[in-house]
Amino acid sequence: MPDTERAAPPLSRRTMVAGALGLAAVLACLEAAQVFIGLGRLGYDLTWRYAVLSTFPSWIILTALLAPTALLVSRFPLERRTLAVALPIHVAAAALFTILHLAGTAFFANRLEPLGYGQQFGRLAAQYFTLDVLTYIAIVGVLQLVRVYRLEVQRERLAAALAASLSQMRFHALRNQLDPHFIFNALNAINAMALRGDREGLVQTVGSLASLLRESLRETAPQLVPLDVELKYVADYLALQIIRFPDRLRVETAVSSEAGRALVPALTLHAIVEEAVSQRMRQSHPCRLVLLGTRSENALHLDVMLDGTACDDDAALDEPIHALDTRLRQLYGPEYGLTRDHTEERTAIRLRIPARTAV
């Protein structure tokens, strides 16, 4: 995303608190000035100190009530999926907010003008109860707008990070597919099939190579694709590798239909498989590659398992796995990402991301 289109950073908590305090101070001064000038014109003899003491406590109490109100909005946002629970809670909170504000203001008003606490509270309630309820509604509305703004900024940052991640992986895939050794080996296999008259194998190999290069060279591509689409791209790559190493590489795939519909960052699975296969094929040992995909209620689980006698050498996968894991955690949060489990007979690369399905 260009710098000119980059979203503004979200407001920090300290900035929001300072802004609330500053706004409350300005409004308190304006109300004090209104009381001082308005009552003065009506013939009341009062000082600026009296005008300040009669107005500032109300704004101080309102400012103090902002923190619990903000906490309540974050815990029970007024959204469609939570409205049935959140609305009654906010109705009760509006009444409590109003009572606390009026009670605190009455306490200070009675200290300034001792007419009796009950009388002061009744007078303020008669004058300001509806206004205080509307004030609570306005505060909740502003907090909701701030929350929506912060979520939108997070979405934009996620989209930008995902786009950068996809571009980097697409460049990496393109570089590998256009590697002279890869192209030479694929063309050499095509030539051998043509010489022995293996028409079916020739058609499949040319199709796999064309599909692989076409996907790598696409100028525009979605950032998220269904796992089934990603598996097709991986299958094309593996088909060419199996032609090169027919006696050393065996592939098995078991992905549930629910997992196949889930969205994954494009080329993520391909990057894992490519690193694993290229690392294993540098050795002379046979390898069985198993791809497993399952979906739970909230997460998509992908396992890339390598069986064979060369598992001790798979430590070279740690660096690319760590880089991809860091990228996924930045996109989805610390509870997601990649792990590598290693035993003497198997290396398992496990991916966990949120389960999302395209509409």
Side-chain angles (χ1 to χ4, degrees), residues 2-20:
D3 291 340
T4 55
E5 296 179 6
R6 195 170 296 165
L11 298 175
S12 66
R13 192 180 301 274
R14 182 176 298 179
T15 301
M16 293 175 61
V17 171

Side-chain angles (χ1 to χ4, degrees), residues 28-29 31-41 43-56 112:
C29 289
E31 186 180 9
Q34 180 183 4
V35 170
F36 180 76
I37 296 172
L39 294 182
R41 287 184 175 180
Y44 290 93
D45 185 15
L46 74 161
T47 63
W48 174 252
R49 178 177 179 275
Y50 179 89
V52 169
L53 292 178
S54 65
T55 55
F56 264 70
L112 183 64

